[in-house]
Amino acid sequence: MSGMYVLAGIIHFIKPKMYMRIMPNYLPNHKALVYLSGIAEILLGIGLCFPVLKIVSIYGIITMLAVFLMVHFYMLSREKASAGIPKWILLLRLPLQFFLMYWAFIYL
């Protein structure tokens, strides 16, 4: 799980435009938010490796995934925000997001 979040966070810095394109219009400063979320994913992923930070990191991951739900719903609501991804795949991502939250939760 740790590696997955660290890798996902790194991708925010490699391909920031990919993430900025799917950010809801009502959120300010998309580039800064993409970088901040990348930093959060990297730090939380690393935090999972240290017993003293594990629980805080798990709650952070669950919170982060809950916040990211707004992006998933936004992608469903706007043709441009969907980034060309078929609606059925976007719909499948919603239960996946809850599975990822559960996956983090079982490590508490």
Side-chain angles (χ1 to χ4, degrees):
M1 185 186 317
S2 174
M4 180 184 74
Y5 286 106
V6 171
L7 180 61
I10 290 170
I11 293 170
H12 282 69
F13 293 94
I14 295 171
K15 297 207 172 256
K17 288 182 182 180
M18 177 178 73
Y19 292 98
M20 286 188 289
R21 186 173 61 208
I22 63 172
M23 295 286 287
N25 291 333
Y26 54 83
L27 292 176
N29 203 344
H30 291 173
K31 192 171 197 174
L33 290 174
V34 167
Y35 289 145
L36 284 172
S37 62
I39 290 168
E41 284 188 279
I42 292 167
L43 292 176
L44 292 169
I46 292 170
L48 291 173
C49 298
F50 297 94
V52 70
L53 297 174
K54 181 182 168 190
I55 291 175
V56 171
S57 295
I58 290 170
Y59 281 118
I61 287 169
I62 292 168
T63 302
M64 179 182 66
L65 291 170
V67 169
F68 288 174
L69 277 171
M70 80 171 86
V71 172
H72 295 296
F73 284 116
Y74 180 74
M75 289 179 75
L76 277 167
S77 70
R78 303 274 192 287
E79 183 77 28
K80 184 179 175 185
S82 71
I85 299 170
K87 198 163 239 172
W88 68 271
I89 292 175
L90 295 174
L91 285 168
L92 285 177
R93 288 177 60 194
L94 294 173
L96 173 64
Q97 196 78 352
F98 288 104
F99 170 76
L100 291 172
M101 288 181 210
Y102 175 73
W103 185 27
F105 180 77
I106 62 174
Y107 284 99
L108 287 175

